[in-house]
Amino acid sequence: MTDAYAQRVRRLTALRGCDTVLSGVRPDSVAEQLATLSAMATDDALPDYYAEGGAVAELERRVAELLGTEAVAFFPSGTMAQQVAMRYGAELTGRTTVGLHPLSHPVLHERDAYAVLGGLRAISTTDAPRNPTAEEVAAVDEPIGTLLLELPLRDVGFVLPSWDELVAVVDAARAGGARVHLDGARLWESTTHLGHSLAEIAGLADSTYVSFYKSLGGHSGAALAGSAELVAYARAWRHRHGGTLFQQWPVALAALAGLTHELPRLAGYVAHARTVATALAGLPGARVFPAPPHTHQFRLWLPHPADALNDANLALAEQEKVWFVGGWRDTEVPGVATAEVTVAGPAAELDAGQVAALGERFLRRLPVD
Ligand SMILES: Cc1ncc(COP(=O)(O)O)c(C=O)c1O
């Protein structure tokens, strides 16, 4: 067992044992996850085979209905799904360039798979901490095959454009001959800020990827939605990537459970995140971004080193069964750390006063300088 895994298990065990949780959700045990899957398995139908039939087909049908697209292909991961979407854009347009934000997932977290495996080249669309504007895309001085928009842009604080900005940037990309792909790993919780339905948002793009294991709480997995032609192409390339697995019903059932139980709750979490963010912003030296949050997730900064904040959080959890916020990282400003806050089911039980009191209790655990 690596040290990193052992530390993760220690953190998750502490979180699981907490009576009060501000950020995130208590992780389920394997036995609890099996119970969720059993509850979703409603009849004695056979499983899926090679991504056809069974729970995989049902999941693809549900996602196509929600996103209003002609077809959907289930994928084992978003990393794989998006590579296929970008490749399709390159083949259709004859341009191997992809308009990507320097802090987008394919640039930051996928070991340059789009370039190494896909032979594609990234063109930076903007350095600003948000998706590009129509003006920025129009000003790009090389032709782009696919413009990828990450909704919300996670690594700057789960930031969304407004609906009008989104429509304008899509139009600008198309005017330049590009296709538009949405990285909608967290599209599910973006409808409130954008003020439009999932189908209206996906309807703007040529392809959309959604994830089943982030806000929906599934095991893993993704879907690529779009036209029937795109999805036929996606199935062929999924096979080439080794992504057409013999059976995937556990992952598909967990995703269906997320769509059934968690999707309807997300709008409530988004609304409550505003209350939580305001309460946290009142802590000494704290900053939140964006303010108010665009989804149920946002960034929090505190004027303390990350190690001290992580130690305080774990000690509070292990000794008092209270989880504040984990995952602190130092920033380029010495002595200032940042963390992502996720306002989900457990935080829904906490009002503004309780959040502020919890924050004070957490800060009292920090060593005095
Ligand atoms: C915005 C975004 N895009 C894509 C991915 C890739 O998803 P996967 O882990 O399923 O490959 C992630 C995963 O964290 C993500 O946050």
Side-chain angles (χ1 to χ4, degrees):
M1 190 192 290
T2 62
D3 211 32
Y5 180 76
Q7 282 174 22
R8 176 183 287 248
V9 169
R10 180 175 170 191
R11 278 196 310 274
L12 292 180
T13 305
L15 171 57
R16 201 172 136 70
C18 282
D19 300 324
T20 305
V21 174
L22 175 67
S23 178
V25 293
R26 291 180 194 89
D28 284 340
S29 66
V30 172
E32 287 162 343
Q33 295 195 34
L34 282 172
T36 303
L37 298 192
S38 293
M40 293 304 295
T42 46
D43 56 31
D44 60 359
L46 283 172
D48 54 290
Y49 292 111
Y50 293 112
E52 273 198 74
V56 169
E58 170 62 8
L59 182 60
E60 289 178 343
R61 195 192 60 71
R62 286 275 292 278
V63 174
E65 196 175 274
L66 284 164
L67 298 189
T69 56
E70 209 177 5
V72 164
F74 177 73
F75 269 80
S77 76
T79 302
M80 193 189 290
Q82 300 211 100
Q83 282 181 57
V84 172
M86 288 185 268
R87 167 183 287 280
Y88 188 58
E91 291 203 12
L92 284 193
T93 62
R95 302 171 180 178
T96 54
T97 43
V98 187
L100 285 167
H101 193 286
L103 298 179
S104 63
H105 199 273
V107 174
L108 271 195
H109 302 295
E110 299 179 13
R111 299 186 180 210
D112 302 326
Y114 66 91
V116 178
L117 302 178
L120 305 174
R121 185 161 61 86
I123 294 188
S124 178
T125 45
T126 181
D127 288 334
R130 50 160 174 71
N131 275 289
T133 61
E135 292 70 29
E136 285 164 338
V137 166
V140 172
D141 55 5
E142 310 179 59
I144 291 177
T146 303
L147 176 70
L148 183 146
L149 299 170
E150 188 176 304
L151 301 180
L153 189 54
R154 184 240 176 115
D155 272 273
V156 302
F158 308 94
V159 170
L160 286 164
S162 69
W163 174 255
D164 289 347
E165 286 165 345
L166 180 59
V167 171
V169 73
V170 166
D171 287 348
R174 293 245 170 77
R179 289 173 59 85
V180 177
H181 171 75
L182 299 182
D183 178 336
R186 299 173 179 79
L187 196 71
W188 311 115
E189 58 264 37
S190 301
T191 51
T192 304
H193 182 85
L194 288 170
H196 286 264
S197 68
L198 291 167
E200 287 167 325
I201 302 166
L204 293 176
D206 297 296
S207 54
T208 301
Y209 137 68
V210 288
S211 175
F212 298 122
Y213 76 95
K214 297 176 174 76
S215 40
L216 294 186
H219 293 176
S220 55
L224 187 61
S227 67
E229 289 79 17
L230 164 90
V231 169
Y233 177 94
R235 292 188 197 284
W237 279 91
R238 181 184 64 192
H239 189 191
R240 283 196 185 96
H241 276 281
T244 303
L245 278 61
F246 181 55
Q247 290 186 31
Q248 301 179 92
W249 54 267
V251 172
L253 285 181
L256 284 166
L259 288 176
T260 305
H261 303 300
E262 209 52 20
L263 181 59
R265 298 191 183 129
L266 292 177
Y269 300 165
V270 174
H272 192 51
R274 293 172 163 244
T275 306
V276 172
T278 306
L280 291 178
L283 294 174
R287 251 207 85 186
V288 300
F289 180 78
H294 295 173
T295 70
H296 65 309
Q297 295 183 290
F298 57 90
R299 280 282 195 101
L300 172 64
W301 285 261
L302 282 172
H304 302 276
D307 279 350
L309 294 165
N310 283 320
D311 289 351
N313 193 57
L314 194 57
L316 189 66
E318 289 182 340
Q319 294 162 25
E320 299 182 45
K321 296 189 183 307
V322 172
W323 183 271
F324 180 62
V325 176
W328 292 93
R329 297 195 308 263
D330 286 318
T331 66
E332 59 281 4
V333 181
V336 176
T338 184
E340 294 175 349
V341 179
T342 299
V343 177
E349 296 162 19
L350 304 169
D351 64 24
Q354 289 168 313
V355 172
L358 211 156
E360 299 289 353
R361 194 165 157 191
F362 167 74
L363 291 176
R364 279 199 296 276
R365 285 227 159 226
L366 292 168
V368 186
D369 306 319

